Amino acid sequence: MTKIKAAITGIDAYVPEYILTNDELSQMVDTNDEWIMTRIGIKERHILKGEGKGTSDMAAPAVERLLKKTNTKPEEIDLLICATVTPDMQFPATANIISEKTGIKNAFSFDINAACSGLIFTLITASKYIESGAYKKVIVVGADKMSSIVDYTDRSVCPIFGDAATAILLEPTLDDNGIIDHTFYTDGVGIKHLHQKAGGSAKPASHETIDAKEHYIYQEGQAVFKFAVSKMADVALEIMEKNNITPENLAWLVPHQANNRIIEATARRMGISKDQVMINIQKYGNTTSATIPLCLWEWEDQLKKGDNVVLAAFGGGFTWGAIYLKWAY
Ligand code: UT7
């Protein structure tokens, strides 16, 4: 019997209007365009403005656009999973809020938190429901309002992150295309290097935690960089070798957009040229769960049915991994 695979059959996004440039950041902290471009590769990032607005306020329009574009009714969706580290609230899940806002009434929904690997981990989780044969239309949301946990007085962190939401439709396929393989890793060695100190059950919010700025991202940049640069390249190479992908038959590498230097190192290790790599970090920064689909969305017109595509990510946890898929439309 032919095995059911999950295929991406549509993708859309919502990027907030406000653009925070390197020049504006230079007025907020002691930094400059040259440092940010050389060390990270970011020119600007989009920020969600407005009192009371959260991740779901970007994700809901992304899902609505996806439904419209793929001619899908909200009632047809069986499952919605949201990858995020910046949920609207601690609970309920942001996926529940998105489903409510978009009229998705016949689905169950939940969140996955795997930091910058959240999108790839969620995509594989969702694909397993499709492969089971019991689910026909699953939406994967990758959305983060990173500006809600960035300290805009900390120059080592504030240039890096941006806000965005993306939505992917997954459906079953019996042909050769779709999601083929993945390799994922987690190593708790990363906990101390990248985390949010307060606001969880171990250290609930208090006046003291607010005063100590413990609700913001804590990142030891150099330590994270060292792991990211080797692990993302290792795993991308591993998925290539496992699936007989060569630089010649790979159409695209879609890397998590955390730092241009990490992306370039990964491409070098894979032996591929820059033309085979989707890079838009300069426009959006690191939008955590949204980076990989933001690339697929921007490159959608250039993707062809049957293209060999590798997705690769590294993030907090540490978590890292790669997916091999054949583009399905
Ligand atoms: O997606 C989640 C996973 N996260 C990542 O993958 C992030 C990985 N880490 C990185 O991308 C880089 O480590 C950063 C971009 C965070 C930092 O770049 P770096 O090349 O590692 O810089 P550094 O921390 O070693 O700092 C070098 C210098 C320091 O000054 P001194 O001590 O040499 O005088 C910093 O104080 O750069 C200084 N610096 C800045 N200067 C201007 C740090 N931030 C800035 C800034 N503007 N924004």
Side-chain angles (χ1 to χ4, degrees), residues 46-241:
H46 291 247
I47 302 294
L48 180 66
K49 296 274 185 182
E51 190 77 18
K53 293 224 183 291
T55 295
S56 75
D57 291 290
M58 300 184 290
V63 168
E64 279 163 358
R65 288 173 185 183
L66 175 73
L67 292 172
K68 191 157 177 242
K69 185 172 168 180
T70 56
N71 216 0
T72 309
K73 293 191 190 68
E75 312 82 62
E76 292 178 74
I77 302 301
D78 303 310
L79 164 64
L80 184 147
I81 316 179
C82 176
T84 190
V85 290
T86 50
D88 281 20
M89 308 176 199
Q90 283 275 14
F91 73 91
T94 300
N96 302 161
I97 302 169
I98 299 165
S99 293
E100 172 63 20
K101 283 183 175 174
T102 55
I104 292 177
K105 297 280 184 208
N106 298 323
F108 72 107
S109 48
F110 58 91
D111 288 356
I112 289 182
N113 175 343
C116 293
S117 306
L119 191 281
I120 58 169
F121 284 19
T122 303
L123 205 53
I124 292 302
T125 305
S127 75
K128 298 300 165 196
Y129 285 90
I130 299 270
E131 287 171 14
S132 76
Y135 297 84
K136 304 281 182 240
K137 289 183 190 291
V138 176
I139 291 182
V140 169
V141 169
D144 271 300
K145 184 188 171 190
M146 295 308 291
S147 61
S148 65
I149 54 169
V150 166
D151 175 2
Y152 285 95
T153 64
D154 178 356
R155 70 172 182 170
S156 71
V157 170
C158 70
I160 300 172
F161 295 99
D163 302 339
T166 55
I168 293 171
L169 183 62
L170 275 188
E171 292 181 276
T173 181
L174 291 172
D175 68 19
D176 289 344
N177 299 315
I179 295 172
I180 293 170
D181 196 14
H182 71 278
T183 307
F184 289 168
Y185 296 97
T186 298
D187 187 340
V189 71
I191 298 167
K192 61 178 178 292
H193 299 303
L194 182 53
H195 57 261
Q196 189 178 343
K197 293 189 185 299
S201 57
K203 204 173 195 188
S206 67
H207 288 292
E208 289 72 29
T209 63
I210 299 286
D211 289 345
K213 298 186 170 186
E214 288 179 338
H215 302 268
Y216 294 127
I217 296 163
Y218 172 83
Q219 176 170 269
E220 293 163 7
Q222 277 187 12
V224 179
F225 185 89
K226 254 186 231 159
F227 273 92
V229 90
S230 68
K231 297 298 184 192
M232 203 162 100
D234 285 351
V235 79
L237 210 57
E238 187 183 334
I239 201 100
M240 273 179 93
E241 285 169 2

Side-chain angles (χ1 to χ4, degrees), residues 31 35 39 116 155 219 221-222 224 256 258-259 261-262 286:
T31 189
W35 191 95
R39 299 291 183 119
C116 293
R155 70 172 182 170
Q219 176 170 269
Q222 277 187 12
V224 179
H256 170 55
N259 186 315
R261 288 184 288 149
I262 299 172
N286 181 351

Side-chain angles (χ1 to χ4, degrees), residues 234-287:
D234 285 351
V235 79
L237 210 57
E238 187 183 334
I239 201 100
M240 273 179 93
E241 285 169 2
K242 223 171 119 195
N243 292 281
N244 298 319
I245 304 167
T246 62
E248 290 72 38
N249 66 22
L250 177 76
W252 296 104
L253 166 69
V254 193
H256 170 55
Q257 315 276 309
N259 186 315
N260 206 29
R261 288 184 288 149
I262 299 172
I263 296 172
E264 282 174 356
T266 303
R268 260 198 310 276
R269 279 279 298 285
M270 293 168 80
I272 60 173
S273 79
K274 238 186 149 184
D275 303 344
Q276 291 166 282
V277 190
M278 295 187 192
I279 305 175
N280 60 12
I281 188 172
Q282 68 283 0
K283 285 200 286 184
Y284 303 114
N286 181 351
T287 55

